[in-house]
Amino acid sequence: FDVEKEGQVEIIGWLYQYYNEEPKDKAFRKAKYTASDIPAVTQLFTPDWIVKYLVENSLGRYWIDILHTRDDKRSEKEIAAGFGWRYFMPAAAQSPSVQEQLASINGALSGKSLQEITFLDPAMGSGHILIYAFDVFMALYQSEGYGAREAAHAIVEHNLFGLDIDTRAFQLAYFAVMMKVRQFDRRALERAIQPHLYDVPQTSIDENTFNSLAAGFSSAKAGKPLQLLHEEIQQFNSGDLLGSLIKPTAPADVLSDLAQYLHPRNGQQTQLTLGTASSDVGKLERMLYVHQVLANRYSVVVTNPPYMGSRRMPAILSKYVGREYPDSKSDLFSAFIELSSELVSKAGYYSLVTQHSWMFLSSYASLRAKMQKALLVNMAHLGTHAFEEIGGEVVQSTAFVMKNAIIHDYVGTYERLVNAPSQGAKETAFLEMVVNPQQEGVYRTNQANFEKIPGSPIAYWASQNLIRDFENGTPLGDIVDPRQGLATADNNRFLRQWFEVRLDTIKFDAHSIGESISSRKKWFPYNKGGSFRKWYGNYDYVVNWKDDGAEIKHFSFPNGKQRSVVRNPDFYFREAITWSLITSGGFSIRYREPGSIHDVSGMSAFSSSHETLIRLLGVLNSPVGEYCFKMLNPTINLQVGNVVSFPVLSEVVTSNQQDSRINNSIRLAKVDWNSFEGAWGFGCLMLLVHIAEHNRNWTVEAAFNQWKQEAQDRFDQLKKNEEELNRIFIDLYGLRDELSSEESDKEVSVRKADLPRDMRSFMSYFIGVTFGRYSIDTPGLAFAGGDWDADKYKTYIPNKDNVVILTDEDYFGDERDVMYRFREFLTETFGKEHLHENLAFIASGLGKAGDTPEDQIRSYLYNDFYKDHVSVYQRRPIYWELSSGRQGGFKALMYLHRYDEDTIAMIRTSYLHDLQAAYEKRHANLDTFIAQEANTREKNKMIKERDHIAKQLSELVKYDVLLQHVANMHIAIDLDDGVVVNHAKVQADSKILTPIK
């Protein structure tokens, strides 16, 4: 082990992190962690550059403050450069008043020696931060004329302190620090060198042992002092859970007596008796050391704290943090922010790298208010991917440096690195900012500005114009009523995709609670948020609100406590503007027509004024909305509290100038939403809308081109609307220098034509009319459960049985063959004259291989249709595929809403057996043809086909047994149970249906 090689000590930390991978993975699967899980789940090695940033901008800055009290005239930049601190960012220029206050505060550092600078890492892990602090201290000592060996001893004796909850991590940190000392003193390990590094003990002192201990104290210590010692020992009894968060309570004189009892002086005997529990003595000794570390105050505190949300904390830890750190109890990392602020001395610095949620979330508002009592000197806002080991977009980080001082007009420096895509890219960007602090991404702002924004988020990038908007605007919550809605506590039980249940059981037009009570309907539209979509849409779900939600309201725990939460029922069924809780795809807001119940994810705002709602919809859908919300809360969970804080300027709600554009945008988005069969407002396939105008004698290509132009016009008009609205609102809010009115295509929520997608939609509609779900003669849904009405079908008659057989060739030669029916459908819609032309165009759009267009279309239906259907219907397919297995001996579709207990038997006897006979006939014919064929190539081709059919026959025979078994069960379903339950019920553990994936 060569400690002199750069990075060798850090290898220890990496090794330990990977050592913990397996226990970490196991722990992550638990709902709550145990004490033994904490070391693994909270161990995360800090990237080297972040360590250097934290240490140089805290310890380094503290030393610069001392030098300036010595009348050192060099600038921060010059001093940092002299020490080679590449990651040191000089502070912003301050006003004369602030400079005067800083000089006064730093005056307390005058005359302070290096030995008096104390540096603590309260969550030291394997010692990475301490090791770099050692290097910085070594440079400082040598600059003061110390020799390397003398400096190394002084650093360990006077400067470095560290704690950790994990004994293995402590041992590694201890080893790493001792190796640093040995780098400068080859006999270091032979000397009595004791680094101030400790693992927090779990004392395990029970009441009897404590009473035995207490008997040795004088009567003068028997009252309150002894009680405080008892409280502290109780905290250390959970030392493996609480770690550095323990708050010392015992007085120094009591601890001094305890230390003497543990180590009697001058051979004196003591009354203290701990029986045979020698381990208790050792733990009490370690408790004394840790107590002293936590009782001291430090010049500099630097750490990468553990991350653990309160919901996963063990009960003892959660209760303790809630009591002792109420302003930061939501996560361990935030509790360590508060701890660090309490451990740092006046004019000292504390610096951490944490998740960035404390900067914005309302749950940390009190913590932010407390932190306003210190100076936020510097922040490197890292965003996602700051740690290579943490992927995804959820964990976003920030590193920051605070000075324990109060100056109201202090200007902090902030480096915005959130857009850099990787750990290495963030480091590179930061170094470029250090070299050129005037470049884009470096912000200088007075933290007093944060108080002008509701909730005081650390919105350092807010411009003066935007801050003025917040000061002059009216909070959105004062204009409308943003409300959370229903939480069912079991969505699988109470929610359905609207197309799963019978259409006639859904109440689409309820306008009040009274209507829902009087209605006999069971299912009501449910607003669950959904994906990024502006203006209109995301009408996907229905909820069981029968009898005014009686079943939901009585849904309770075994102890009788209600599980569901019926929030704000007076607002159910009212018109609203609504947005999604999850905003990973960007913020978007929609108009919601009357008739829906909203939930906690489909957040909604209400007003008695329709005009007010649509005007707010306009401004919130502009870049101004996204910009403000990313400032109030850049996490992916946009809470109601964030939305109510949006500043609404008076012109937004008083002017009707933009109403027509906003209403037009809603209309365009609604037309688009209803153009596809996933919407309950779907009336007709877009390619069939104009066939009557052409007397049903037209080409699919011409119909597609007309649809393409209509979709493009709609897209262009909506984009034009949005860009004009963007321009107006950006100008109104004075944000022209920060925002652009231009809209990218991906931000426009309506769809353009897309040949492959639209041909797949064409095939889906064909299957739908063949089952009778749709009719060429009837707009909208013709049948989705209930009573069958044959009068709805005149032009194209659906299959009389609830089955569509899918085969790789035509084995029937009649209407049982899917391509026979498809030709019939095309003839009735686009005319016989263009049949072959239309088949060719559709085949080209589907993009499948085959000798003829019919072969290509058949291939799509046989191989790909069901996968596409499952995807379009969000893994809740309404057409189910029966499949015999890999050889494809039998494939068929049946329609969920036409299913009854005799459907499987009908399919088996009327279709499977007929197909089996067709296979047998084809197999026999091939035997004859093979015997007569002289051409070797053709003969081999027929042999291959015959062998494949033989395999299909064999598979089909086995499948027939399964199908018979299920048919004999006469399985009934209830559409209210939904697709997943009913699919599993019909499957009956028999694998007769293709699984839903």
Side-chain angles (χ1 to χ4, degrees), residues 168-237:
R168 289 193 186 94
F170 150 72
Q171 292 166 342
L172 291 171
Y174 191 100
F175 172 74
V177 169
M178 288 304 297
M179 289 299 97
K180 290 297 294 184
V181 180
R182 189 181 180 278
Q183 179 181 346
F184 302 101
D185 179 3
R186 294 294 178 180
R187 299 181 59 190
L189 300 182
E190 301 170 17
R191 307 184 194 279
I193 297 175
Q194 179 63 49
H196 302 297
L197 311 181
Y198 309 101
D199 62 326
V200 181
Q202 181 187 12
T203 50
S204 306
I205 305 297
D206 59 23
E207 290 300 314
N208 291 333
T209 304
F210 181 80
N211 291 335
S212 175
L213 172 68
F217 283 87
S218 67
S219 58
K221 307 283 176 61
K224 183 69 172 178
L226 199 58
Q227 177 187 339
L228 293 173
L229 175 62
H230 186 216
E231 291 176 3
E232 184 158 343
I233 288 177
Q234 285 183 316
Q235 291 186 72
F236 277 97
N237 279 347

Side-chain angles (χ1 to χ4, degrees), residues 474 476 479-480 609 611-616 619 648-656 659 729 732-733:
T474 302
L476 182 78
I479 300 172
V480 293
S609 168
E611 289 74 17
T612 296
L613 286 179
I614 66 163
R615 290 167 188 170
L616 292 175
V619 68
V648 181
L649 302 184
S650 60
E651 295 92 329
V652 171
V653 290
T654 58
S655 172
N656 63 3
D659 288 4
F729 290 122
L732 178 62
Y733 279 77

Side-chain angles (χ1 to χ4, degrees), residues 677 763-775 798 879 895:
E677 69 174 72
M763 301 310 299
S764 178
Y765 187 76
F766 155 67
I767 294 295
V769 295
T770 302
F771 275 124
R773 178 173 178 81
Y774 305 110
S775 168
Y879 311 134
Y895 178 26

Side-chain angles (χ1 to χ4, degrees), residues 65-228:
D65 289 347
I66 292 175
L67 291 180
H68 283 168
T69 66
R70 300 179 183 177
D71 205 26
D72 190 322
K73 300 299 184 183
R74 292 176 298 167
S75 68
E76 288 184 335
K77 184 176 182 179
E78 290 170 331
I79 296 172
F83 285 109
W85 296 338
R86 297 174 61 218
Y87 299 88
F88 181 88
M89 175 64 81
Q94 307 295 332
S95 68
S97 171
V98 170
Q99 292 180 39
E100 185 178 335
Q101 293 176 72
L102 274 173
S104 175
I105 291 167
N106 290 337
L109 307 180
S110 179
K112 188 177 283 285
S113 68
L114 271 170
Q115 288 90 339
E116 294 176 276
I117 300 176
T118 51
F119 182 102
L120 170 68
D121 183 347
M124 64 183 173
S126 56
H128 191 186
I129 290 173
L130 292 172
I131 294 306
Y132 188 62
F134 187 105
D135 291 338
V136 172
F137 271 117
M138 177 59 70
L140 300 183
Y141 272 102
Q142 290 182 325
S143 73
E144 294 287 284
Y146 285 77
R149 186 172 68 177
E150 181 185 11
H153 285 241
I155 292 167
V156 174
E157 181 180 355
H158 299 294
N159 302 120
L160 292 186
F161 297 80
L163 297 174
D164 203 273
I165 205 169
D166 182 8
T167 299
R168 289 193 186 94
F170 150 72
Q171 292 166 342
L172 291 171
Y174 191 100
F175 172 74
V177 169
M178 288 304 297
M179 289 299 97
K180 290 297 294 184
V181 180
R182 189 181 180 278
Q183 179 181 346
F184 302 101
D185 179 3
R186 294 294 178 180
R187 299 181 59 190
L189 300 182
E190 301 170 17
R191 307 184 194 279
I193 297 175
Q194 179 63 49
H196 302 297
L197 311 181
Y198 309 101
D199 62 326
V200 181
Q202 181 187 12
T203 50
S204 306
I205 305 297
D206 59 23
E207 290 300 314
N208 291 333
T209 304
F210 181 80
N211 291 335
S212 175
L213 172 68
F217 283 87
S218 67
S219 58
K221 307 283 176 61
K224 183 69 172 178
L226 199 58
Q227 177 187 339
L228 293 173

Side-chain angles (χ1 to χ4, degrees), residues 501-516:
V501 301
R502 281 177 49 167
L503 188 68
D504 58 6
T505 63
I506 304 174
K507 177 69 171 175
F508 287 111
D509 55 354
H511 284 65
S512 69
I513 289 287
E515 288 185 55
S516 74

